[in-house]
Structure formats: structure tokens, C-alpha cells
Amino acid sequence: LLQNEHPQCTWTGLRLPIVSVGIEANYKENGWMVIRRELPPICSDVRQKHRLSIDTLPPEVKAPFPSDPIIPLRTKTTKEFQEDMERALQSGDWREVREFYLTTFDSFIEINAAFKREANGLFNTIEDSGVNTKFVNAVYDALLNTPQDIQKSVLKGIINSLLREWKGPRTKDDLRAYFILVQNPQYSSTSTYVIYAHLLRQIAALSEADHHFLVHWFKKLSARRFRQLVERLLQFISTRLFPAEPDEFPPLSKCAWWIPSATKVLISPHKQNEITLPQLQFIQNYGKTCRSREVHFTFSFCQFPFILSTVVKKAIIQKDSEQQMISQARQSLVSKVSRRQRVDMNLLFLNIKVRRAQLLSDSLDELTRKRCDLKKKLRVTFVGEAGLDMGGLTKEWFLLLVRQIFHTDYGMFTYMKDSRCHWFSSWKCDNYSEFQLVGTVSFMKNNNKHQGMCEL
């Protein structure tokens, strides 16, 4: 600016002490452009700090606080909607029904406007969702009977709603919208799974407090609606794991979050009912569980035991026992080698020697003395009998031991004829070590995969 005003002045550098806004003169001195400034007088209150409150600011500079959106008033009732459907089915004129679906599923606000009992009511309690359940059921029951263009418009509206509501804090109206959208029967079709996955992803990302509300709202669903909701979630997980066609869905690498999201959403309905997926091969998933102990964000079904059946849990326990047996045997072997000691292959096994006449007491003594080796593979030797245990002696030891423990004459357990099972005897017992033996034997039975022992 100065050079434009004084083109005759040139300089190689500029020193500009910021002390005033008034410029007195400009001139060239020893190759430097010097700006001489006139200092203002120092007042006594220059260094005083002024604290401004938002109340002292003029109205035009105050930023307005965002207010909660006002839900529009929708007056259509369940009866009026059903009458519209009947007229459309008879006349073939779907314009009014089409307009209703287009408007209702266009946004979360419109969903609340249509299905909330009172448009701007709070309904912030866990016991009352504020949703007109009867109207929701009527709309969804009729949806699958509408023309394809109406069904597609509903899905398109849901996509726009999810994209619009992806960011930002969640309100109770948002929870109501999720609660309503997750009941959509269209998600039974695999063609809608991409949309369904994004809905589940947003629900899974809700806070724990929000999930607490959903849990109690799910309780209010009828048994049939609740079962349909769970079945859709289970079908989604199973179909994603085992698609009928390889190219039916996006590559698993691009949608790895599908199954974790659906499984996390299942936590809410699980708190009301038992949910299992016995048809899945969870043993293949066990490796992920082992890795997830170190990498906490790795997903595994074993992190959600409520979704596993009893048979699957038993298989996983056996698999885990095998891994621990191998690990402990390896540690014993490495310890010997590191100390340069002679390696004895018996270190890899839990070797016990028992007498048939004193089977129970010898077994108790051996297992108590070798408690640190209980996770190793079991090998049994009967004293005074030649033989190499390849599994047969171990099985015989289990059978004889269990038969003696559960015999009514021994007094530890009583057989209940009505339930056809054994229960603890009512006799007074001064030594509980034999009961501890029962637990140890049950654990070892799982480790060594012997089915001869009865279920405890």
C-alpha cells in the first residue's frame, strides 16, 4: 500500500512495531523503510479487563439457540387408513395411499407425526413409548399388499431418513423412529438387506441409556410381532454368513459391520427372551474369540453367549479346553528345554495311577496332588495291570468313578424318580472334598471328550 502511494521509496525489509494506528511519515533510511508512529496517551484504565456477559450484548449479535423441531399435526386414524386401503383395493386408485406412505416415511419427524399418540407430547418414560401400536401394525400389515412402486417409495424414504439422521445427538423421538422402522416387514426380503444393515448400524451405535429404553419398549410388543422381529434379525445374520448366491450381497470385506451390528441389536430383545442360532458353525468362529482377547474390537459370536445354543456352548468349551491343554503342554516342554533338562514326554500328559479297590480315594489323592496339570490330556494306569492308555483306560476310569459316586449306597447323591436325575443327598457331610472331585471330573470329562459320564 505504501509503495503504491510512494513509488519512489524502495526497501529490502520492513519493521512494523504495532503500537498505534496512526502513521506520521514514510521515508527511506539506510535501505530500510521506517514507519514512524505516534503513540497514544496511556490512560489509567487501559489495562483493566472487561468481562462481557451474553446478556449485555445487543440482540442482533446474539446467536439463536437451536430449538427442538416441531412435529406437524397428522390426524389420520387407523380406521381412516383402513378405509383408504379398502377403497384402493376395490377401485385400483392408490393415489391417497401412496401419498400417505410417501409422507409418513420421509423423515423421523414425519414418522413421529404419523404414529405418535400426541404429536408434541414428551413420553420420556421407559414404560410408555408414546407410539400408537395399533396404527403401526395396520400400516405395516397393509404395506406388503400395496403396489411395488409404493413399497419402493417407502424404502427410498427410509434411506433418506437414515442418511439425514446419521449424525447428531439422539432424542426420544429418534428412538421412537428407530423402534418403528425396525418392525418393517419388508426386511424379510434379502433385496432390502443393505437398507436393513444401515438401520441396524445406527441402532447398534446408540448409547446404553437409549438401548435401555428400547428394551422396555420391546416388552410392549405382542408375542407374534416380537417373534417376527427376532426371526428377521436371525435370518439376516444367517443369510449374510451363508448366502444362497455368492454375488447376492456386497463382498464381506466391504460390509464386515453387518453381522456385528445385527448381533448387538439382538441384545435388547434377548433381555426378554432366549435367542439361539444352533445352525451356525461357531467352532470356526472360536479362533476370533482367542484373538479378540488381545484385540478388543475384534467381533466374535462368543462375545454374545446369549445367541449360542447349549450344544454350541459345549462344543466351544471343548475347543477351549483343547487349546489350553496344548498351551500348557507347550509351556512345560519349553520350560524343560530352557533349563537344559532332559525332556520327558510324560510332561505333556496328566498321568494318574489308581487301584481298582480304592478307586475313589486314589483318584481324589492323585487329582489333588496334580491339580496344576488338570488341563493336560489325561492318561490312566491301573496299578498291577499292564496296559497302555490309548483312550480305553481313561473311558473305563470315568465310567467306574461316576458309577461309584452316584450310587445311592455311597450317600453323596439321591436319585429322583420323577425328574429322573440325581440330586445332592440330605445326609450331613463333614468332608466336601469328594464333592469337589465331582466338579473336577466334570471338567476333565469335557477336556477329554468322553461321553460315558452322565450329565451333571
Side-chain angles (χ1 to χ4, degrees), residues 74-102:
R74 300 285 183 253
T75 59
K76 188 177 287 293
T77 63
T78 305
K79 184 178 179 181
E80 292 172 349
F81 172 77
Q82 291 174 339
E83 291 174 352
D84 292 342
M85 279 295 301
E86 291 177 2
R87 286 195 298 269
L89 290 170
Q90 294 174 1
S91 64
D93 186 1
W94 293 91
R95 284 178 296 180
E96 192 167 350
V97 175
R98 183 181 292 105
E99 182 63 26
F100 169 79
Y101 279 108
L102 281 173

Side-chain angles (χ1 to χ4, degrees), residues 25-165:
N26 302 304
Y27 59 90
K28 181 177 179 182
E29 181 182 35
N30 297 327
W32 291 87
M33 183 65 185
V34 179
I35 300 177
R36 186 176 300 166
R37 299 175 181 274
E38 181 180 1
L39 297 177
I42 298 178
C43 301
S44 59
D45 60 343
V46 164
R47 298 181 182 277
Q48 291 181 357
K49 295 182 179 180
H50 298 279
R51 296 183 178 178
L52 296 178
S53 171
I54 191 171
D55 297 329
T56 64
L57 295 176
E60 59 270 13
V61 299
K62 292 182 180 180
F65 289 100
S67 58
D68 294 335
I70 299 177
I71 299 177
L73 183 62
R74 300 285 183 253
T75 59
K76 188 177 287 293
T77 63
T78 305
K79 184 178 179 181
E80 292 172 349
F81 172 77
Q82 291 174 339
E83 291 174 352
D84 292 342
M85 279 295 301
E86 291 177 2
R87 286 195 298 269
L89 290 170
Q90 294 174 1
S91 64
D93 186 1
W94 293 91
R95 284 178 296 180
E96 192 167 350
V97 175
R98 183 181 292 105
E99 182 63 26
F100 169 79
Y101 279 108
L102 281 173
T103 304
T104 300
F105 291 94
D106 183 63
S107 66
F108 281 14
I109 294 178
E110 290 291 346
I111 292 174
N112 279 274
F115 298 117
K116 200 173 176 182
R117 291 200 302 271
E118 296 179 14
N120 290 291
L122 293 178
F123 297 107
N124 289 335
T125 64
I126 59 176
E127 299 301 330
D128 187 5
S129 63
V131 174
N132 188 344
T133 306
K134 184 178 179 181
F135 193 17
V136 173
N137 295 340
V139 170
Y140 278 146
D141 289 342
L143 178 58
L144 298 182
N145 297 322
T146 60
Q148 287 295 317
D149 63 315
I150 296 180
Q151 297 186 33
K152 290 180 181 179
S153 66
V154 170
L155 295 174
K156 184 178 179 180
I158 294 175
I159 294 174
N160 294 333
S161 299
L162 295 177
L163 292 175
R164 192 180 299 113
E165 302 295 337

Side-chain angles (χ1 to χ4, degrees), residues 349 377-381 387-396 448 450:
F349 301 93
K377 182 86 174 164
L378 178 63
R379 277 190 177 178
V380 178
T381 301
L388 182 61
D389 187 6
M390 301 299 291
L393 294 178
T394 299
K395 183 176 181 180
E396 184 182 3
N448 292 271
H450 283 285

Side-chain angles (χ1 to χ4, degrees), residues 356-381:
R356 289 185 181 272
Q358 305 292 331
L359 183 66
L360 193 60
S361 58
D362 285 357
S363 299
L364 181 60
D365 292 340
E366 285 280 272
L367 295 179
T368 302
R369 186 165 54 88
K370 300 179 179 180
R371 182 174 297 275
C372 60
D373 295 330
L374 290 179
K375 291 184 178 180
K376 294 181 179 179
K377 182 86 174 164
L378 178 63
R379 277 190 177 178
V380 178
T381 301

Side-chain angles (χ1 to χ4, degrees), residues 423-436:
W423 191 246
F424 299 102
S425 174
S426 58
W427 293 353
K428 184 178 180 180
C429 181
D430 297 327
N431 184 9
Y432 292 96
S433 60
E434 293 180 347
F435 286 99
Q436 294 177 355

